[in-house]
Amino acid sequence: MNGNLRRSLLAVPASSAKMVEKSKGLACDQILFDLEDSVAPNEKASARANLIKLFSSKPVFRARYISIRINATGTPYFKDDLAALAQIPSDALFSIVLPKVEKANEIDLLGGALLIDAQIESAAGLANVESIAAHPHCLSLSYGPLDFAADLGAALDDLSEGELKEFTLYPLMKILVAARASGKLAFDGPEVDIRNSDKFAQGATRVRALGFDGKWVIHPDQIELCNEIFTPSDSEYQSASELIAKYESAKSQGLGAITDGDLMIDEASLRSAAKIVARHQAFNSN
Ligand code: COA
Ligand code: MG
């Protein structure tokens, strides 16, 4: 299983010294210090300076993975973002989050040393998602729901809850399949209704059931719920372990397909169960 599993990816505006400081103690799996859309144009320079200063002090974080989201390759900010990155010790960062990726060769503009978490947020990005996922420096794909809707011209507020689910299923599945075809991780974008934990839980539970690894969070209150939803529960772990034991014993007796209650189980069931066990172990060993 991929060694850089993550469930909760917290976006922190790099322009906010207060939020940057607070992020050090938060229990998300990954922090994404943002230089892109949460930072106003006239704050870009001071946000870069904040990050250079932060990383010069060898900060310690509770989060295991620390990343910076820079501005998209086609923007006037991209060059200055790269110059700022050059002033940050490369071992301080796990990856660079690249927004609005539309072509795989944009990743080459970052130079060979940096690993990329790519955001798919446009029609062009989705059309080219397989080659983006296949890029050797690409670690993961994230769905960017708001930018994607804007790019398509969709009016999300005019869609019913059911229609909204139908609308998002296509990009979510296309991103997930492309990621898995290249052995990469897949993340859902954020829930912007920050005080609505039911809505967060519904969205996160749905994408977890589809197969996603985790989700972006934008507020500290979303972290714990996100981690919980994307970690297999003890009872899921127990059932998966029992299924594996039962199936392995059947296999040793020369059986390929057996029943578990009224359900047929075979080698495919074993693969699903093994993933649950591995995920449970990965997030309970820290
Ligand atoms: N990272 C770190 N700390 C955060 C935070 C974040 N993303 N969001 C909120 N906080 C802190 C606040 O500073 C506040 O700290 P305090 O208790 O020490 O005062 C505490 O958490 C509670 O915050 P709250 O007052 O409920 O929210 P807010 O009104 O300050 O902020 C947002 C609301 C939406 C503006 C803020 O959560 C935010 O900027 N989120 C990230 C947005 C972003 O990065 N978007 C781009 C990527 S999608
Ligand atoms: Mg975006």
Side-chain angles (χ1 to χ4, degrees):
M1 183 170 276
N2 195 314
N4 58 73
L5 283 179
R6 295 156 264 159
R7 301 160 296 186
S8 50
L9 292 66
L10 174 70
V12 181
S15 50
S16 168
K18 182 173 181 265
M19 292 194 207
V20 168
E21 187 56 33
K22 192 173 181 85
S23 71
K24 291 179 181 170
L26 297 174
C28 49
D29 289 334
Q30 184 170 9
I31 293 176
L32 320 171
F33 288 115
D34 190 23
L35 292 171
E36 201 220 12
D37 281 355
S38 71
V39 177
N42 62 354
E43 295 277 305
K44 298 278 186 200
S46 61
R48 290 183 199 109
N50 282 349
L51 292 183
I52 292 169
K53 191 167 160 227
L54 171 76
F55 287 106
S56 70
S57 69
K58 293 196 190 305
V60 176
F61 297 95
R62 193 161 166 201
R64 179 159 178 199
Y65 299 105
I66 306 300
S67 305
I68 292 178
R69 179 167 78 166
I70 60 175
N71 290 276
T73 57
T75 65
Y77 312 113
F78 179 68
K79 239 179 91 195
D80 290 341
D81 287 349
L82 286 191
L85 287 182
Q87 295 182 60
I88 292 173
S90 55
D91 61 355
L93 295 179
F94 166 68
S95 69
I96 300 304
V97 180
L98 193 58
K100 301 182 178 69
V101 182
E102 305 208 318
K103 288 206 173 95
N105 63 12
E106 287 176 52
I107 297 176
D108 298 327
L109 300 173
L110 279 276
L114 297 166
L115 297 171
I116 303 301
D117 288 306
Q119 281 187 282
I120 304 299
E121 312 187 81
S122 64
L126 195 65
N128 292 320
V129 69
E130 279 125 14
S131 56
I132 295 168
H135 194 289
H137 297 151
C138 176
L139 291 170
S140 76
L141 302 176
S142 289
Y143 175 48
L146 296 185
D147 277 305
F148 185 71
D151 192 49
L152 262 61
L156 298 186
D157 291 343
D158 295 345
L159 298 178
S160 69
E161 212 176 294
E163 288 168 337
L164 193 59
K165 275 191 172 174
E166 282 177 36
F167 174 86
T168 53
L169 193 58
Y170 173 66
L172 283 171
M173 288 310 296
K174 193 160 179 195
I175 286 169
L176 178 65
V177 170
R180 294 294 187 247
S182 288
K184 309 293 169 73
L185 300 180
F187 303 111
D188 189 20
E191 170 53 64
V192 294
D193 195 352
I194 55 173
R195 318 275 172 216
N196 192 336
S197 54
D198 287 346
K199 206 166 162 192
F200 184 94
Q202 278 164 21
T205 304
R206 173 185 182 227
V207 297
R208 187 207 152 174
L210 295 179
F212 276 73
D213 296 285
K215 184 171 168 70
W216 285 44
V217 292
I218 49 175
H219 189 282
D221 289 352
Q222 297 177 323
I223 296 171
E224 198 183 324
L225 188 54
C226 188
N227 287 344
E228 187 189 319
I229 290 169
F230 287 98
T231 309
S233 66
D234 289 345
S235 73
E236 286 169 314
Y237 171 71
Q238 191 67 30
S239 306
S241 306
E242 283 166 17
L243 185 145
I244 292 170
K246 185 169 178 177
Y247 188 71
E248 290 295 358
S249 131
K251 246 192 344 194
S252 67
Q253 293 161 43
L255 297 168
I258 57 170
T259 51
D260 182 25
D262 286 343
L263 299 178
M264 183 280 292
I265 55 174
D266 68 2
E267 198 65 37
S269 327
L270 185 78
R271 280 195 287 273
S272 282
K275 280 197 173 173
I276 292 171
V277 167
R279 268 189 88 81
H280 187 272
Q281 285 170 345
F283 292 119
N284 285 284
S285 60
N286 298 336

